[in-house]
Amino acid sequence: MIPFGDPSASYQTHKSEIDQAIKRVLDSGWYVLGTEVNEFEKEFASFHGKVFHAVGVANGTDAIALCLRALGLGTEDEIITSSHTAVATVAGIEQAGCTPVFADIDPNTRCIDPNSIKGRVGSKTRAIMPVHIYGQPAEMIRILEIAKTHNLAVIEDCSQAHGAEIRGQKVGTFADISAFSCYPTKNLGGTGDGGVILCRSKEFAEEIKSLRQYGWNEERVCITPGFNSRLDELQAAILRVKLRHLSDDNSKRRSIALRYNEELKDLPITLPALARNQLHAMHLYVIECDRRNELMKYLRSHQIGASLHYPLAVHQQTAYAHRIRGGDNLPVTDQFYEKNLTLPMYPELSNDTVGHIISMVQKWFREET
Ligand SMILES: Cc1ncc(COP(=O)(O)O)c(C=O)c1O
């Protein structure tokens, strides 16, 4: 089966550097929050520009919860986000004790729709959390304007968009604080769980460094109740290797997406929009088509790992159904979830394999429609 994403191909591509990094950590005898984490944090911050600070944490869900805690948000504070996201976005909001509220998405970007955000702002709203879904940057300029008007914080969920840009500015640098997952399938993925927070202020960074380890101060005395959300040295060392190749890997993803878009453009499907003034990180390549279940079944029966991201929007899942404000009025999201279909996308996909996937999609349309 050609998978929709392939972390093991990434390991094989960068094997010698990763093996060296692993050996360095094992030999060092220091396995959690050490030199590798410090260096990764510096390198991740400087990848985004010198004024930013980065803090490594245990996973992307914790990163979201820690961002909210660092902003002083908690019980009764409402955070507006989209239901079209990994459930982790909403889990992280609730983990911090905050209350998620859903806005609809823009059918073109598939990210949160600024107009829908405006309609959801209420007296308890404290923040907006746009998700750069599939690697597509959300409309940050308009979102920041709305936040300014209503005095709201903005937290970017960049878990699917490491290295994406809007007019040359990297996502994660628009808001004061941003969360990234480094789960193995991500564009910047380790070989286990990991996450990182990017923030403008040194004070926030220091606070998160304390919160990620029980709320300790330098004397290991708890100043505030915290978490255990430490990043381990092995993951940090591997992420340092992957970070060096991130821009190049993202370019490879974009070339594959351009080819998909070019060769599928005459079919009755909606393709991901690739705006000229943006760098899409192309984490997932998602099309929309009628009869997508039949197309998915056909592709899977021919060893092409077409998949769904996601099978259900968050508000459609049992744990969240009918209890999140805004969840009963998301027409664009609901429609998207009837048609979404993910095709394989990772930097190591060969030209031949991409050609094969394209020809199988074309064949299904020729024969079945
Ligand atoms: C959009 C989004 N937010 C948050 C997360 C949470 O990341 P993690 O699985 O590392 O907790 C993910 C990862 O699945 C994600 O895709």
Side-chain angles (χ1 to χ4, degrees):
M1 183 76 89
I2 304 162
F4 70 82
D6 191 356
S8 72
S10 170
Y11 170 56
Q12 291 306 328
T13 306
H14 307 299
K15 185 172 173 19
S16 62
E17 284 177 81
I18 291 174
D19 288 352
Q20 270 175 35
I22 291 172
K23 184 168 183 330
R24 189 171 69 234
V25 173
L26 295 182
D27 286 344
S28 78
W30 190 281
Y31 301 130
V32 176
L33 291 186
T35 314
E36 299 289 342
V37 172
N38 286 339
E39 293 304 308
F40 170 61
E41 290 173 344
K42 279 190 217 149
E43 290 161 11
F44 192 76
S46 86
F47 178 77
H48 289 89
K50 292 261 182 301
V51 289
F52 285 85
H53 303 270
V55 184
V57 296
N59 56 65
T61 311
D62 281 1
I64 288 169
L66 282 159
C67 286
L68 295 169
R69 274 287 299 274
L71 287 165
L73 300 176
T75 320
E76 303 228 328
D77 293 333
E78 288 188 346
I79 317 297
I80 300 176
T81 191
S82 42
S83 174
H84 173 35
T85 184
V87 81
T89 307
V90 183
I93 292 172
E94 293 200 330
Q95 186 180 318
C98 297
T99 304
V101 172
F102 289 140
D104 213 348
I105 54 169
D106 177 304
N108 187 41
T109 64
R110 294 131 168 210
C111 294
I112 197 163
D113 176 356
N115 291 326
S116 179
I117 296 176
K118 285 186 198 160
R120 300 295 201 261
V121 175
S123 61
K124 294 182 176 172
T125 308
R126 297 289 172 269
I128 307 169
M129 188 177 293
V131 181
H132 306 297
I133 197 81
Y134 306 148
Q136 160 71 52
E139 283 188 67
M140 289 312 301
I141 308 301
R142 287 186 64 201
I143 292 168
L144 290 171
E145 276 167 17
I146 297 168
K148 198 166 170 205
T149 306
H150 298 279
N151 195 23
L152 306 174
V154 178
I155 305 102
E156 292 174 69
D157 182 346
C158 302
S159 296
Q160 302 191 3
H162 315 72
E165 295 179 5
I166 304 171
R167 295 183 193 281
Q169 183 178 345
K170 289 206 164 50
V171 302
T173 67
F174 289 87
D176 288 329
I177 190 159
S178 300
F180 297 73
S181 164
C182 299
Y183 185 73
T185 54
K186 303 301 188 206
N187 290 33
L188 179 66
T191 58
D193 276 312
V196 56
I197 292 168
L198 198 63
C199 53
R200 234 183 272 272
S201 108
K202 192 159 187 283
E203 288 66 42
F204 271 163
E206 293 305 326
E207 184 168 357
I208 294 164
K209 282 183 181 174
S210 163
L211 285 173
R212 76 177 166 187
Q213 186 155 240
Y214 318 124
W216 272 351
N217 68 6
E218 275 162 23
E219 282 77 44
R220 289 186 289 147
V221 174
C222 265
I223 302 304
T224 177
F227 295 61
N228 175 356
S229 187
R230 299 177 290 223
L231 182 61
D232 71 65
E233 289 282 281
L234 275 175
Q235 296 313 321
I238 292 166
L239 291 170
R240 291 180 68 197
V241 174
K242 295 284 194 80
L243 184 60
R244 293 201 282 275
H245 299 284
L246 176 62
S247 299
D248 193 35
D249 283 346
N250 281 355
S251 299
K252 289 181 184 153
R253 289 173 181 270
R254 273 191 299 276
S255 305
I256 296 167
L258 283 170
R259 180 166 175 207
Y260 273 143
N261 272 15
E262 178 56 30
E263 295 187 31
L264 297 175
K265 71 175 189 290
D266 295 329
L267 299 176
I269 54 184
T270 304
L271 302 167
L274 292 170
R276 215 174 280 152
N277 59 3
Q278 297 181 350
L279 272 192
H280 196 306
M282 207 34 84
H283 172 57
L284 292 169
Y285 184 88
V286 179
I287 62 171
E288 291 157 65
C289 73
D290 298 332
R291 298 174 61 198
R292 69 93 201 270
N293 287 344
E294 289 162 73
L295 174 57
M296 179 165 68
K297 199 166 157 211
Y298 174 81
L299 293 174
R300 293 181 80 86
S301 72
H302 288 85
Q303 305 306 309
I304 295 170
S307 186
L308 299 182
H309 293 86
Y310 296 89
L312 293 170
V314 180
H315 73 285
Q316 298 168 341
Q317 303 184 30
T318 311
Y320 299 94
H322 312 300
R323 72 171 180 85
I324 311 278
R325 185 163 77 77
D328 55 353
N329 185 13
L330 302 171
V332 183
T333 304
D334 287 334
Q335 206 178 30
F336 178 81
Y337 272 79
E338 286 170 17
K339 300 186 173 185
N340 61 315
L341 182 64
T342 308
L343 299 183
M345 168 57 68
Y346 49 94
E348 293 79 10
L349 265 181
S350 71
N351 277 336
D352 284 355
T353 307
V354 175
H356 172 64
I357 296 164
I358 290 168
S359 69
M360 294 308 284
V361 174
Q362 290 168 334
K363 191 161 176 245
W364 183 80
F365 274 97
R366 257 196 325 273
E367 290 174 1
E368 299 294 329
T369 60

